Amino acid sequence: MSVQESTFHGFANPVDPSPTELRAWAYHPDSVPLTSMPPDWDLLVSGDRLVTTLFDLAMDPTCPARRFALHCLYIYAADGIRTNFRAHPKRRFRKLVEQAEKNGDELMRVWAHNSRMLLARPELFVYRDWCEGGLVRENRRLA
C-alpha cells in the first residue's frame, strides 16, 4: 500500500513533521486542515530537512497539496538566496532548480526561472510574492 492510498491520522509533532508524515498529509490534506496548523507552519516546514519531500510533492501534478509544497519551495529559495546560502546549501538549491528545469512541468519551470532570477537580482525579493504565496497564486515569471 502506498502513502497516497492510506489515510493520514495526524502529525506526532506538527512543528517538526517527518518526511513520511508530510508526504502522507499532502495526499490527504483535508484530514488536517492548514487552518489547524501552528502559525507560520509553511515557514517551519520549508527547511533543509523536508525540502526534498516538498520538491517531490511539488513535482507531482496529482498531489492535492502541490501548491502548498510549491509555496514552501519559494520560501526555501528566497531564504537561501537572501542569506547568501547561510540558511541552505547552495549546491542542494542548484540541484533542485536544475531538476525542475529538466523534468518539471510549467509550474516547476516557472519556480526554477524565478529562483534563478532572484539569484541574479536579489532586489526582486518581495515578501508577499516569495513568502506569502503571491508567485504561486499568480504563476508569473519574473522579468
Side-chain angles (χ1 to χ4, degrees):
M1 176 184 282
S2 74
V3 170
Q4 291 84 341
E5 295 167 2
S6 65
T7 301
F8 180 65
H9 297 290
F11 297 99
N13 179 1
V15 174
D16 188 23
S18 71
T20 302
E21 288 176 327
L22 184 63
R23 184 177 304 279
W25 170 81
Y27 287 96
H28 300 281
D30 293 337
S31 61
V32 181
L34 278 174
T35 55
S36 71
M37 299 310 264
D40 297 323
W41 191 62
D42 53 349
L43 300 175
L44 292 172
V45 300
S46 297
D48 288 319
R49 190 165 95 76
L50 296 172
V51 73
T52 54
T53 302
L54 291 164
F55 184 81
D56 291 344
L57 296 170
M59 288 286 282
D60 181 359
T62 68
C63 177
R66 182 183 193 201
R67 289 172 55 88
F68 175 79
L70 182 59
H71 164 63
C72 290
L73 290 179
Y74 272 102
I75 293 170
Y76 182 85
D79 195 30
I81 293 166
R82 294 187 69 235
T83 63
N84 199 26
F85 296 98
R86 288 185 304 277
H88 309 298
K90 190 174 191 176
R91 182 176 172 183
R92 177 179 289 156
F93 167 74
R94 285 192 184 271
K95 282 184 175 186
L96 294 173
V97 168
E98 289 167 5
Q99 191 175 346
E101 290 169 336
K102 182 179 178 185
N103 302 318
D105 63 5
E106 181 63 14
L107 279 177
M108 292 303 291
R109 288 191 304 271
V110 169
W111 171 77
H113 167 83
N114 289 344
S115 295
R116 286 195 185 274
M117 290 297 293
L118 185 64
L119 185 59
R121 296 178 40 215
E123 70 274 9
L124 291 175
F125 177 79
V126 175
Y127 189 86
R128 180 186 108 25
D129 287 343
W130 289 86
C131 299
E132 292 181 344
L135 289 171
V136 174
R137 282 188 301 277
E138 297 165 12
N139 190 34
R140 69 180 157 88
R141 287 179 179 261
L142 297 175

